[in-house]
Structure formats: structure tokens, C-alpha cells
């Protein structure tokens, strides 16, 4: 078990008693994405999912699926923000993933140097769904 | 004791939610009663109808993840003045501000849990009949995501059912009273 998963479980965050079919399918989908290592290509999907839902399985509190996906996302997105010449553009593109990463890195008390420092004052354009 | 007017032009949802949160932590701490009277104040807390929401937060600081501070106070003002209005253009401007505030944040003040600022804003929007379809249509995506999250919390999402059920009970009780009187005569 990873350190982050252990930390998450030690927080005793209430988990849903049962998951709906949609939630189960969502969880299975992300488990399989993580197993196959095809995560980079799914960042856009993840961003849209986290645009409409605070957490991956549309739950009130984060679930283990959030923690597992977060573990892979954090270094990847951190690298993208770091290496980006257009930080505002990267923020705009992945704004919902950034929100969710910030929530989980605080919840799981990721060390200062491990965290992705979020600049809250970047003036993001309003997002309009076509 | 908190008395909620179920027929107020702006139903005091924030106050109902705050009281339900307090009672969730400390059962029965705030007795909630209802009246069905257009002329009554939207909410009366311990015989006082002014700043009811603020008083509930201040009286029960342990029930809320952030107590009362300037930022909270600012959002309470915005929710009272800007989020209950039914003029679409003005409301759109206020929702856009809330949407901007929710960029990169799960809750209005950031942080890991809702604060009284979320309760004030959510309650104001819940009372506003204009808002339902705007939320559903994701006109302001951050607002829709945030609103939908809090709706999953029974203190928020169950507030309307609690209100309507309490008002039904009130009506039944008053009808029973009337029948009894009729019987006597």
C-alpha cells in the first residue's frame, strides 16, 4: 500500500456505503487507466470530469479512487506547469485538475517540496461550455 | 429557538442549514419551529430577527470549520444583497463573481471543508427561484460544481424537504385544532 493511501485511510473519511453503477464504472475505468499507464492521454478527460464533479466518483468526500489517480497526476501535472512557457494557458487548460490536486495535497499533507504550489491569483478567463 | 417563516419572499435557507449543522454536532441545541405567515420575519433567533445567521455562527463556533471573520462577513453581505435578487442581469454579474471566486477552489474560501461563507451563498441561491436552471445548465461551471457538491450533504440538500414537511405538519396541526373546536360546539 502506498504511503498516500495509508495516510488517506488514517483520516477515516466517510466512504459511501454503496456505489451506483455509474460510480463503479468510473472507478473501474480509472483503475484500468492507471494499470495500463495511459494516463497522460486522459488528462483532458480528467479535467472535464473534475469540472462537473468535485471528486472523481461524484461523491461528497474524496474516495480511494481520487487518491490513486492523484498519486499519478501530481508529478505529471507539476512537471507540465513547471516546464510550461505559458503558465496561464496551462492553468486555464487544467484548472479543474489543479483545484482537485490542491484539495488532495492539502488533505494528504503532502510535503512542501512535493506540493504543486497553486497561484490562486492568476486571472483565469471564465469558462463557457459550448 | 429558531423560528423560520416558510412563506417569506426569501426563505431563510442559510439559517435552516446552519441550525441543522449545529444540531448535527449537538443534537437539539437549536429548536427549529415554523410559521406560515407572509408578514413575519424570515427568521427569528431567540426572539431577535436581526442578523440571525451571524448569531447562529457566533453562538456555535465549534460547529463550523471557520468561525466568523471578515471574509465570511463579506460573503454573507454578498449573499444577502446580490444572490437573492431576481433581476437576471444583476444576478448574472453576481454569479460570475462567485464563479471567479471558485476558480481553483473547492469551497468559497478554499480549504478542505465548507465555511459559513458557503452556507450563506448556497442558502441564498437555494431560495432564489431563478437559479435552478442556471445551475443545471452549467452556465457558471464552478458554481454548478460547488452547488452540486454541497447538495450531496444532507444538511444542505435535505433543507428543502425538511422545510416543506415541517410546513405540512404545521398545517395539519392547525386543521386538527379547528376540527376539535368545531366538535365542541
Amino acid at each position: 500500500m502506498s504511503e498516500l493511501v495509508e495516510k488517506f485511510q488514517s483520516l477515516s473519511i466517510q466512504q459511501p456505503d454503496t456505489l451506483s453503477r455509474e460510480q463503479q464504472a468510473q472507478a473501474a475505468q480509472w483503475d484500468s487507466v492507471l494499470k495500463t499507464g495511459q494516463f497522460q492521454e486522459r488528462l483532458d478527460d480528467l479535467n472535464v470530469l473534475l469540472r462537473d464533479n468535485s471528486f472523481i466518483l461524484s461523491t461528497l468526500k474524496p474516495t480511494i479512487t481520487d487518491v490513486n489517480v492523484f498519486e499519478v497526476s501530481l508529478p505529471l501535472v507539476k512537471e507540465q506547469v513547471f516546464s510550461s512557457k505559458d503558465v496561464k494557458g496551462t492553468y486555464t487548460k487544467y484548472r479543474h485538475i489543479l483545484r482537485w490536486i490542491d484539495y488532495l495535497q492539502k488533505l494528504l499533507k503532502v510535503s512542501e517540496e512535493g506540493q504543486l504550489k497553486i497561484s490562486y491569483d492568476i486571472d483565469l478567463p471564465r469558462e463557457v461550455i459550448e | 429557538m429558531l423560528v423560520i417563516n416558510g412563506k417569506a419572499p426569501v426563505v431563510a435557507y442559510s439559517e435552516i442549514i446552519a441550525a441543522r449543522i449545529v444540531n448535527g454536532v449537538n443534537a437539539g441545541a437549536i429548536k427549529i419551529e415554523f410559521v406560515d405567515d407572509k408578514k413575519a420575519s424570515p427568521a427569528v433567533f431567540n426572539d431577535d430577527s436581526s442578523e440571525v445567521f451571524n448569531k447562529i455562527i457566533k453562538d456555535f463556533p465549534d460547529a463550523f470549520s471557520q468561525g466568523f471573520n471578515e471574509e465570511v462577513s463579506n460573503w454573507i453581505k454578498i449573499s444577502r444583497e446580490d444572490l437573492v435578487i431576481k433581476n437576471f442581469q444583476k444576478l448574472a454579474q453576481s454569479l460570475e463573481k462567485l464563479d471567479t471566486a471558485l476558480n481553483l477552489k473547492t469551497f468559497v474560501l478554499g480549504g478542505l471543508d465548507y465555511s459559513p461563507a458557503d452556507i450563506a451563498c448556497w442558502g441564498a441561491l437555494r431560495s432564489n427561484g431563478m437559479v435552478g436552471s442556471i445551475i443545471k445548465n452549467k452556465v457558471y461551471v464552478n458554481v454548478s460544481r460547488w452547488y452540486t457538491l454541497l447538495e450531496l450533504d444532507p444538511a444542505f440538500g435535505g433543507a428543502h424537504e425538511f422545510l416543506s414537511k415541517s410546513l405540512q405538519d404545521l398545517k395539519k396541526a392547525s386543521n386538527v385544532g379547528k376540527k376539535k373546536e368545531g366538535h365542541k360546539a
Side-chain angles (χ1 to χ4, degrees), chain A:
Chain A
M1 203 191 310
S2 83
E3 198 191 321
L4 283 179
V5 170
E6 259 177 62
K7 254 194 214 168
F8 178 69
Q9 289 180 342
S10 74
L11 294 171
S12 311
I13 292 169
Q14 202 186 352
Q15 297 293 297
D17 297 333
T18 53
L19 292 176
S20 69
R21 289 175 79 110
E22 289 83 4
Q23 287 171 319
Q24 286 175 25
Q26 196 66 257
Q29 193 195 322
W30 289 103
D31 282 349
S32 124
V33 168
L34 293 180
K35 265 186 206 134
T36 53
Q38 310 279 302
F39 185 66
Q40 175 89 45
E41 297 96 276
R42 303 303 299 275
L43 273 183
D44 289 356
D45 294 342
L46 182 63
N47 191 60
V48 171
L49 183 62
L50 293 170
R51 176 192 75 194
D52 299 335
N53 302 283
S54 295
F55 304 109
I56 293 179
L57 302 185
S58 321
T59 47
L60 177 60
K61 304 278 178 185
T63 62
I64 194 76
T65 301
D66 289 289
V67 179
N68 288 331
V69 178
F70 166 74
E71 193 155 26
V72 180
S73 313
L74 177 61
L76 201 69
V77 176
K78 204 176 161 183
E79 177 56 33
Q80 295 225 355
V81 174
F82 257 135
S83 61
S84 166
K85 289 195 182 88
D86 174 16
V87 174
K88 187 172 168 173
T90 308
Y91 261 68
T92 304
K93 190 171 178 205
Y94 294 127
R95 61 170 84 187
H96 305 298
I97 295 183
L98 288 170
R99 169 195 63 75
W100 167 86
I101 281 183
D102 197 34
Y103 186 95
L104 285 156
Q105 69 184 3
K106 284 177 177 156
L107 180 76
L108 300 169
K109 300 194 170 65
V110 173
S111 66
E112 283 285 315
E113 61 272 23
Q115 288 200 13
L116 198 175
K117 290 276 169 302
I118 304 284
S119 311
Y120 302 102
D121 44 7
I122 289 188
D123 187 20
L124 299 176
R126 187 182 145 210
E127 185 175 6
V128 179
I129 303 179
E130 302 297 328

Side-chain angles (χ1 to χ4, degrees), chain B residues 158-178:
Chain B
H160 178 70
E161 200 191 336
F162 174 68
L163 169 73
S164 50
K165 202 177 163 294
S166 304
L167 288 176
Q168 272 171 19
D169 291 348
L170 190 70
K171 210 172 173 185
K172 268 185 219 154
S174 73
N175 284 343
V176 168
K178 273 177 204 156

Side-chain angles (χ1 to χ4, degrees), chain B residues 41-56:
Chain B
S41 296
V44 179
F45 184 50
N46 299 336
D47 296 323
D48 190 349
S49 66
S50 69
E51 305 214 313
V52 169
F53 182 75
N54 308 28
K55 279 174 189 144
I56 297 174

